[in-house]
Amino acid sequence: MQVNEHFAQIGQNYLFSTIARKVAAYKASEPPRRVIRLGIGDVTEPLAPVIIEAMHKAVDEMADKRTFRGYCDDAEGYEFTRKAVADHYAELGVTVGLDEVFISDGAKSDLGNFLDVTGPDTVALIPDPVYPAYIDTNIMSGHTITYVHGSPETGYLARPDDDIDADLVYICSPNNPTGAVYDAETLSAWVMYALDHQALIIFDSAYEAFIRTDGLPHTIYEIDGAERCAVEISSFSKMAGFTGVRCGFTIVPKTLTVAGDADLNQMWRRRQNTKFNGVPYIVQRAAEAALSPLGRQQTRAQVDYYLGNAAVIARGLDRLGISYTGASNSPYVWMACPNGMSSWDFFDQLLERAQVVGTPGVGFGPAGEGRLRLSAFGQRPDVEEAMARIEEMLG
Ligand code: PLP
């Protein structure tokens, strides 16, 4: 058989395995104190009560002949879930049609799968540093990648360059790993770029629930013209703790114009109904509950808890005079390594001298060199102790 030769071009992602190996070796050397991990991008709070209740109820329905459900008629999800998502957008002041909402088993799947509707000569514009899935999925599809390198001077927020001609543009806001959030003016510049260049924006809003500052856009559709040039891929993972439950959603407007005569909404529907049989009923009931008024209240309290952790990290860095992005509208704090240290040198020092684990910024792309990502997912006492140790080490 012939294989997809593009796989040979995917770099091995050694980041998290290297971290795990270094931490395991250090632990085996009997460190003086417990090792605290601020490196993980996974939620730690259990599912909110209203979600658990909805899942129990759905399980009971599956146990009864009269209410049992088999295949969902549409791979794009039950109407009740799509309506809950559309209502969520309505609350943000944006109109999304039920036939523009596609329920998925998570943002990562759709980020990869959406490339099924793109052509082989696609050029993807991807910011650096970045969530690695954008790069690897485009390489697997044989696409050409052009990078926009971030820097502390621009707050790691990419701006369009008219000299670059791209078909796809990736924007993640709030960003993983930098925690930076795009303002309306910068997003408008990207929408203008996309319309001028007939490019499609893939807007990743997986961390939308962390935005608390008034005036920052929660969705690309708050920007005029985005309904003609952007799909939005989002997730219940960080908003409601669904990293293990698995549910997300993608918005593909029927008004997109950047693909010429092609109807991307219809193509995506066709793709999903060909290769996907939908998200489990029990999970869709959980997602509906997460977006209910009580669900919003309970999950917001969890996000507040993580934001409280981020504030503890930010205050510690402020006292040390260390610059960072993120923290206020994001679970990530993207700190400068002190004294011009490289990402891995600082990672090693932090582990050996403070027994704290971060994620080396360079693991997210070359522009991440000299930075470390600290994550606010975790327990408050651990975060407080980790920051006290970092302050002791660097103070
Ligand atoms: N997008 C970004 C930016 C992420 O950081 C993550 C997960 O960490 C995802 C998407 C994946 O989300 P999901 O769990 O819905 O697949």
Side-chain angles (χ1 to χ4, degrees), residues 317 320 322 335-354 356-361 369-374 390 393-394:
L317 295 179
L320 289 166
I322 292 177
M335 65 175 287
C337 300
N339 310 318
M341 249 185 279
S342 75
S343 295
W344 277 111
D345 282 351
F346 184 51
F347 169 90
D348 287 337
Q349 286 220 4
L350 207 56
L351 179 60
E352 283 158 25
R353 292 178 51 203
V356 171
V357 182
T359 310
E369 182 54 285
R371 298 269 145 173
L372 190 92
R373 189 191 77 175
L374 296 176
I390 292 174
M393 170 185 159
L394 298 174

Side-chain angles (χ1 to χ4, degrees), residues 105-123:
D105 64 351
K108 196 175 200 176
S109 310
D110 277 10
L111 283 164
N113 294 336
F114 201 81
L115 299 185
D116 273 5
V117 306
T118 62
D121 299 325
T122 292
V123 175

Side-chain angles (χ1 to χ4, degrees), residues 87-370:
D87 288 349
H88 163 63
Y89 277 94
E91 269 176 42
L92 299 173
V94 163
T95 304
V96 165
L98 292 188
D99 50 3
E100 295 175 316
V101 180
F102 295 82
I103 307 300
S104 72
D105 64 351
K108 196 175 200 176
S109 310
D110 277 10
L111 283 164
N113 294 336
F114 201 81
L115 299 185
D116 273 5
V117 306
T118 62
D121 299 325
T122 292
V123 175
L125 193 64
I126 303 184
D128 157 33
V130 81
Y131 178 55
Y134 306 159
I135 297 172
D136 292 349
T137 51
N138 274 283
I139 294 176
M140 282 180 194
S141 298
H143 293 171
T144 302
I145 299 177
T146 303
Y147 293 97
V148 195
H149 302 289
S151 69
E153 291 72 39
T154 58
Y156 292 93
L157 294 170
R159 284 197 76 90
D161 174 350
D162 263 326
D163 293 337
I164 299 173
D165 212 8
D167 302 293
L168 290 182
V169 174
Y170 283 82
I171 302 176
C172 177
S173 180
N175 190 274
N176 178 13
T178 69
V181 188
Y182 281 83
D183 61 19
E185 192 271 320
T186 314
L187 287 183
S188 293
W190 277 113
V191 165
M192 264 188 297
Y193 169 93
L195 291 171
D196 283 351
H197 291 256
Q198 296 289 284
L200 181 74
I201 294 174
I202 297 190
F203 189 77
D204 182 339
S205 61
Y207 296 93
E208 174 272 320
F210 288 79
I211 299 178
R212 290 289 192 270
T213 301
D214 285 347
L216 288 174
H218 288 246
T219 156
I220 187 84
Y221 302 118
E222 287 180 48
I223 309 300
D224 280 347
E227 70 289 351
R228 286 185 279 139
C229 64
V231 299
E232 183 158 302
I233 297 183
S234 199
S235 172
F236 290 90
S237 283
K238 309 295 159 76
M239 171 215 298
F242 275 40
T243 52
V245 176
R246 309 303 308 145
C247 195
F249 52 91
T250 290
I251 308 299
V252 186
K254 298 182 94 170
T255 43
L256 291 172
T257 58
V258 291
D261 291 337
D263 182 343
L264 287 178
N265 177 284
Q266 269 311 321
M267 286 174 75
W268 180 240
R269 188 178 312 282
R270 188 77 178 86
R271 189 270 170 214
Q272 289 298 75
N273 279 280
T274 303
K275 293 195 181 178
F276 184 53
N277 254 335
V279 173
Y281 174 69
I282 297 161
V283 170
Q284 293 202 47
R285 283 295 183 200
E288 180 193 31
L291 290 176
S292 68
L294 191 55
R296 301 293 301 178
Q297 198 183 316
Q298 292 178 355
T299 56
R300 190 180 167 94
Q302 295 181 332
V303 170
D304 280 344
Y305 180 74
Y306 297 131
L307 283 168
N309 288 345
V312 169
I313 298 172
R315 280 198 294 275
L317 295 179
D318 286 342
R319 281 191 291 269
L320 289 166
I322 292 177
S323 64
Y324 57 87
T325 53
S328 48
N329 293 293
S330 161
Y332 298 122
V333 188
W334 180 249
M335 65 175 287
C337 300
N339 310 318
M341 249 185 279
S342 75
S343 295
W344 277 111
D345 282 351
F346 184 51
F347 169 90
D348 287 337
Q349 286 220 4
L350 207 56
L351 179 60
E352 283 158 25
R353 292 178 51 203
Q355 291 75 46
V356 171
V357 182
T359 310
V362 72
F364 298 97
E369 182 54 285

